[in-house]
Amino acid sequence: METERLDRFPLLARLPAEERTILAGAFVEEHVEAGRTLARSGDFGYALYALEEGSADVVDPEGVTLRTLVAGDTFGEIALVLAGRRSATVVAAEPMRVLSLFARDFLRIRESVPAFEVYYDRKALWPAASLERIEAVLAPADS
């Protein structure tokens, strides 16, 4: 896959170019039908998704939409990086095209993408933190 496709995602575009190149080789494109559940709260996570086209709803256990994800959003990173359980249920609201990074592929490249892991690990530790606050924490490591 072309590295430029990852540049459409703010969280991935901020990574070093060499890491984006490695990640581009690990992501796969998937077409998702409306209504498909991509992540279920409490299940073990096995993929990070980057939404290229379409939209998905983050829903509570009763099916009430809490948030709608759109092109440029990513989800699933917390469970992938921390090898844990999903923190939310995400259902395709319409047909979507997503870029998926599966756990088996992430484990294969993990040591080659340290900024990716640090970034998402810190995001998981501070889920309420803004992107700017996370970047401020990472800045000294980049110097």
Side-chain angles (χ1 to χ4, degrees):
M1 167 189 333
E2 307 84 23
T3 303
E4 294 76 27
R5 288 176 75 180
L6 298 184
D7 293 342
R8 298 178 191 159
F9 303 95
L11 296 177
L12 298 172
R14 298 175 193 283
L15 295 171
E18 59 275 5
E19 288 196 26
R20 288 195 317 278
T21 299
I22 293 166
L23 286 165
F27 272 93
V28 295
E29 180 179 309
E30 287 189 85
H31 294 270
V32 178
E33 295 180 15
R36 177 176 156 199
T37 299
L38 291 158
R40 188 174 312 279
S41 182
D43 286 356
F44 281 99
Y46 62 89
L48 173 151
Y49 299 97
L51 182 51
E52 251 188 335
E53 289 181 0
S55 63
D57 293 327
V58 178
V59 298
D60 69 11
E62 288 77 41
V64 175
T65 299
L66 304 173
R67 176 177 177 220
T68 298
L69 303 170
V70 297
D73 287 332
T74 59
F75 62 96
E77 62 275 1
I78 295 172
L80 181 70
V81 172
L82 298 180
R85 295 184 183 269
R86 297 283 188 200
S87 61
T89 296
V90 179
V91 179
E94 61 183 316
M96 301 186 325
R97 185 175 70 217
V98 298
L99 304 179
S100 304
L101 176 61
F102 294 100
R104 66 178 182 271
D105 299 315
F106 175 64
L107 292 173
R108 179 177 50 82
I109 65 168
R110 188 176 200 157
E111 291 183 12
S112 301
V113 291
F116 173 83
E117 186 168 10
V118 167
Y119 184 84
Y120 280 110
D121 188 36
R122 291 187 181 186
K123 181 177 183 237
L125 292 174
W126 302 316
S130 67
L131 183 59
E132 293 78 23
R133 287 182 56 204
I134 294 168
E135 288 177 337
V137 170
L138 287 177
D142 295 337
S143 308

